[in-house]
Amino acid sequence: AVVSTQSGHYGRECLDGFNRKEPNPDHIRSSTFRQVAENFKRSFLNTVRNPAYTRTRIVQTIIVGLLCGLAYYDTKNDQTAAQNKSRVLFNIVVYFTFGNVFIQTMSIPLELPVVKREYQNGMYTTVPYFLSKIIAEIPYLLGLPLMQLAICYFMIGLKNSASAFFIAVLASIGISWASTGLGWFLSAWTGDVRIAGALTAPIIMPFFLFGGLYQYDESTPVYFLPVKYTSWIRYGFEMLMINEFEGMELECDAEPCFFKNGTDVLNRYGIDAGSLWWPNMAALWIFGAVMCVFAWGCLMCRVRR
């Protein structure tokens, strides 16, 4: 109840700020490019001065990659593959989701006092600031998924193909992008690290439940369809599943054979075997972009107050 009341209070403050005019717009003389460059420079210097942040994320990625690889080491394409490979693929989605959301819920609240003061002094507007955050996050968005999958992909025994590997990397990058956008939105909406952290798990849980692993696609209640079709977890999981099981033949040493091939596995999870992976990728990037727009709107509300 306390979290609900406080989040509603922050939402009303955000709307009040959005309706106010920008202070001192004529004082901002530098170009948009210069504003983005200066904000990015500051973000880069902060990262250099705090190498523990980057080191921690790299070490965390390596440890999780090794855990996944060792836990599902050399998974064969037999009847257990439907269960083991689908679970490890879902675990990859969950890791990139929670890891990125929780990290980004802390980013904007910690910077908000400085951003608000500099914005109201006419040093820059919110668009260049937010663009610089996106640019500063690109190395993590690209490098960490590539690093984790380079460690665990072939240890697990996923599809032995260069194209399949890089599609899995693209899926992980898309999941990271969507989750990062959601984390920015929650942090800008609440403006408080504790409130954002308290809201993260309850908000993610419905998308997690209808992400494709725990419930048959056809059995989703009609009132949860909006959650299902906006679940970036579902799109990421489907993309990884299609990439892994499409065209796969499964071994069957004894009857009964529940899954003869990858198509049977995809049908088991309600995934159309004829689907392409790229629409799911597009959905991930669209979701992340929409979350960034919402985050920018909330940020603009806060700095105007």
Side-chain angles (χ1 to χ4, degrees):
V2 173
V3 171
S4 177
T5 302
Q6 290 180 323
S7 62
H9 171 68
Y10 287 125
R12 289 192 296 272
E13 284 186 340
C14 186
L15 291 176
D16 291 340
F18 190 80
N19 292 327
R20 297 179 183 177
K21 295 182 179 180
E22 294 191 28
N24 305 325
D26 296 332
H27 292 180
I28 302 175
R29 300 298 184 185
S30 59
S31 65
T32 300
F33 177 80
R34 178 67 181 275
Q35 295 173 53
V36 173
E38 290 299 324
N39 276 282
F40 173 73
K41 180 181 177 180
R42 181 167 62 182
S43 297
F44 177 76
L45 291 176
N46 289 337
T47 301
V48 171
R49 292 166 184 161
N50 184 21
Y53 171 75
T54 300
R55 192 185 306 121
T56 300
R57 295 191 69 176
I58 292 174
V59 171
Q60 179 184 8
T61 300
I62 293 173
I63 292 174
V64 173
L66 288 173
L67 285 175
C68 285
L70 293 173
Y72 295 92
Y73 183 75
D74 197 21
T75 301
K76 304 297 184 183
N77 291 337
D78 53 20
Q79 295 300 295
T80 63
Q83 182 178 32
N84 290 338
K85 288 191 174 183
S86 61
R87 287 184 176 179
V88 73
L89 293 176
F90 194 79
N91 287 339
I92 290 173
V93 177
V94 170
Y95 167 73
F96 285 118
T97 292
F98 280 94
N100 285 284
V101 171
F102 277 107
I103 286 176
Q104 299 309 330
T105 53
M106 297 184 289
S107 61
I108 292 179
L110 295 176
E111 300 173 356
L112 189 58
V114 175
V115 174
K116 184 176 181 178
R117 182 177 65 252
E118 293 177 346
Y119 172 85
Q120 294 182 347
N121 288 337
M123 296 180 65
Y124 50 79
T125 61
T126 52
V127 172
Y129 165 77
F130 205 84
L131 287 176
S132 71
K133 284 192 71 65
I134 295 175
I135 296 171
E137 193 65 24
I138 288 176
Y140 300 105
L141 289 173
L142 299 181
L144 296 181
L146 177 60
M147 182 183 299
Q148 178 170 323
L149 289 183
I151 294 171
C152 70
Y153 187 91
F154 296 105
M155 288 180 66
I156 296 169
L158 298 176
K159 185 178 287 187
N160 190 11
S161 163
S163 60
F165 170 76
F166 284 108
I167 290 174
V169 171
L170 285 176
S172 300
I173 292 172
I175 296 161
S176 298
W177 164 247
S179 305
T180 296
L182 177 62
W184 281 334
F185 167 62
L186 291 175
S187 63
W189 175 39
T190 61
D192 185 278
V193 173
R194 293 169 299 176
I195 299 299
L199 289 175
T200 296
I203 288 177
I204 291 179
M205 188 55 64
F207 298 100
F208 178 83
L209 293 176
F210 297 100
L213 181 69
Y214 295 109
Q215 188 173 45
Y216 289 112
D217 195 64
E218 296 81 2
S219 62
T220 303
V222 65
Y223 42 85
F224 277 122
L225 288 179
V227 175
K228 168 186 169 183
Y229 288 113
T230 55
S231 175
W232 71 97
I233 296 176
R234 172 177 174 263
Y235 292 117
F237 180 62
E238 283 194 6
M239 182 175 174
L240 289 171
M241 289 288 287
I242 292 170
N243 180 57
E244 176 63 25
F245 286 102
E246 185 178 28
M248 178 185 290
E249 294 296 327
L250 297 178
E251 301 173 4
C252 184
D253 297 329
E255 296 292 340
C257 287
F258 297 102
F259 306 104
K260 296 181 180 179
N261 49 48
T263 300
D264 292 341
V265 178
L266 293 176
N267 291 336
R268 162 67 174 75
Y269 289 99
I271 302 172
D272 184 2
S275 299
L276 301 174
W277 60 265
W278 64 262
N280 291 292
M281 186 66 182
L284 290 172
W285 282 94
I286 291 171
F287 179 88
V290 170
M291 289 296 103
C292 285
V293 171
F294 287 168
W296 165 77
C298 291
L299 177 64
M300 187 167 59
C301 298
R302 294 198 167 279
V303 298
R304 284 184 178 184
R305 289 194 292 112

